[in-house]
Amino acid sequence: AILVTVLIQATVFGTDPVKDTPPLLSAQTSELTTRDALILGVIEGITEFLPISSTGHLIITNRALGLDAEDPMLDAEGSPIWIAPPSPENPAGRPLTLKLAADTYIVVIQVGAILAVVMVFWNSMMTILRGLQGNDRSGLVLLRNIALAFFPVVIVGLALDDWIDANLFSLNTVIAALLVGAILMLGAEFWRKRRGFALDHPKTPAELTVGEALQIGAMQCLALWPGMSRSMVTMVGGYFSGLAPAKAAEFAFLVGIPVLGGAAVYKGLQTGPAMLALFGWTEVLIGGAAAAISAAIAVRFLVAWLQKFGLGAFAIYRLILAGVLAWWVLG
C-alpha cells in the first residue's frame, strides 16, 4: 500500500502533494473512521478471492457505513473540490464526493490482498523468477499464461471504465450479477462433473495453452460487472480449460496480482490524491493491513474447500445474498 500511495503522490503532485491540495473542511476529521477502515479491509480481504464478489460486498458495506453520499465535498472556503475542474469539454466538471473517495479507497487497499497472495504462493513466484532467469521453462510459461489472461480485461476495462463507474455501481446491478454468477457457477460445476475432471486432476496453470489462457482472460471481462467476482469467473474459465478447482483457484489468485495491482494504480492516479487528502494515510494503511491478513486466511481456506467440495456452496450463498439484497432494496 505504501508503494502505491507513494507512486500516486510522486506521479500526480511531485514531491509535496499535500501543499497543492485544497484544504478540506473535514480534513482533520476524516469521514473514514478507524473502525470503518478495519471493516472495509477485512471484507475486502475475505471477499477478494472467494467467488462471491468483493466489489458487491464493498458497495453494500459502503452503503451500510454511510460512505455513499454523492454531495460534492467542499474546501475551507465552501467551494467544490474538483477531481476534474469544469472545462469546455466537460462544463459540469467532476467534483469529489464521499462515495468517489470511498470507491477509490476500496480499490487501493486491494494492494494488501495482493501482498497476501504473493506470500501464500511464494513458491510460484520463485518459479516465475527462475523462468525469467532462464532456469525453469515452466515458470516462463506460467508468466506467459498470466499475461495472456490479464490482457483482455485490461483492454476492455480501460475502454469501459467511465461507463462502468456511471452505470454499474449500484445495488440493483450487484443483485443481477450475483444471480447470473450463481447460475454460471452451478453450470460450470455440472459441466465439470459430467466431463469427469477429478479434484486431483494433474493439469497445472503452467500447462495451459495460449488459447486456454486467453479464454480465461475473456471470462475475466465479465468481472467488470460489479457483483460478478473476478476470482469466480477466472475459476470458471479454468474449469472450461481443464483445470481442477484448486488449480483453477491458484491461477485466479496469480492472475489477480497484475489485475488488482493495475486497477489500484489506475484508480489511484485518477482520484487517489483527493482520497488521501480526505481520509489520510493512517486509514489507508490500516485498511491495507487488514486486507492482507484476512486475504491470506481466505486464500488458504478456499483452496482447502475447493479440493473437497468445489464451487457449489458459494453459488448457493450468492443466491441467498441476492434474495436478501432484493428484499432490502424493495423493502
Side-chain angles (χ1 to χ4, degrees):
I2 294 174
L3 290 175
V4 172
T5 49
V6 167
L7 174 62
I8 291 167
Q9 292 199 344
T11 302
V12 178
F13 290 107
T15 58
D16 192 7
V18 176
K19 180 178 67 177
D20 299 323
T21 304
L24 307 183
L25 282 174
S26 54
Q28 278 76 39
T29 56
S30 171
E31 299 282 352
L32 188 76
T33 66
T34 299
R35 183 205 65 168
D36 294 341
L38 285 170
I39 291 172
L40 290 170
V42 169
I43 291 177
E44 158 60 28
I46 291 174
T47 61
E48 184 60 59
F49 297 108
L50 298 185
I52 55 178
S53 173
S54 63
T55 303
H57 281 78
L58 288 164
I59 289 173
I60 297 163
T61 305
N62 278 346
R63 180 164 176 174
L65 295 176
L67 297 173
D68 60 345
E70 299 196 56
D71 298 327
M73 303 297 293
L74 306 178
D75 63 22
E77 298 177 354
S79 301
I81 300 167
W82 299 105
I83 297 297
S87 65
E89 296 78 17
N90 182 17
R94 190 184 185 193
L96 175 68
T97 66
L98 183 58
K99 180 181 183 299
L100 182 58
D103 288 345
T104 302
Y105 177 84
I106 62 180
V107 173
V108 169
I109 64 172
Q110 289 177 158
V111 175
I114 296 170
L115 294 176
V117 168
V118 170
M119 297 307 297
V120 171
F121 291 98
W122 186 251
N123 288 338
S124 294
M125 304 306 297
M126 290 299 98
T127 299
I128 291 172
L129 180 59
R130 289 193 298 271
L132 289 172
Q133 295 171 336
N135 298 323
D136 192 328
R137 184 179 181 281
S138 66
L140 202 58
V141 174
L142 176 59
L143 179 60
R144 179 205 70 185
N145 289 342
I146 291 172
L148 290 172
F150 169 65
F151 179 73
V153 73
V154 172
I155 300 302
V156 177
L158 289 174
L160 299 180
D161 178 62
D162 291 339
W163 185 87
I164 290 169
D165 282 348
N167 296 280
L168 294 185
F169 277 84
S170 70
L171 281 178
N172 288 333
T173 57
V174 168
I175 291 169
L178 287 169
L179 290 171
V180 172
I183 294 170
L184 180 61
M185 292 166 74
L186 292 172
E189 277 292 333
F190 177 78
W191 181 88
R192 179 181 67 85
K193 291 175 181 177
R194 285 289 299 271
R195 289 291 298 268
F197 291 147
L199 292 177
D200 59 349
H201 194 281
K203 190 172 186 179
T204 69
E207 295 172 328
L208 293 170
T209 66
V210 169
E212 289 167 343
L214 284 172
Q215 174 181 283
I216 293 172
M219 288 290 297
Q220 273 203 111
C221 294
L222 290 174
L224 296 170
W225 179 0
M228 186 61 73
S229 172
R230 186 203 59 81
S231 61
M232 181 274 289
V233 295
T234 308
M235 282 185 264
V236 169
Y239 273 24
F240 294 148
S241 298
L243 296 177
K247 291 298 181 182
E250 178 183 342
F251 190 59
F253 302 151
L254 294 174
V255 174
I257 294 174
V259 171
L260 300 178
V265 171
Y266 178 72
K267 197 75 169 180
L269 291 174
Q270 283 191 317
T271 52
M275 179 272 293
L276 284 171
L278 179 61
F279 291 163
W281 280 69
T282 301
E283 284 72 16
V284 172
L285 296 176
I286 288 173
I293 295 169
S294 55
I297 296 170
V299 165
R300 292 186 182 279
F301 160 78
L302 181 60
V303 171
W305 177 275
L306 291 176
Q307 287 176 331
K308 295 180 179 180
F309 306 111
L311 288 170
F314 296 104
I316 295 171
Y317 171 83
R318 292 172 66 104
L319 292 173
I320 294 171
L321 181 60
V324 171
L325 289 177
W327 173 80
W328 184 21
V329 170
L330 297 176

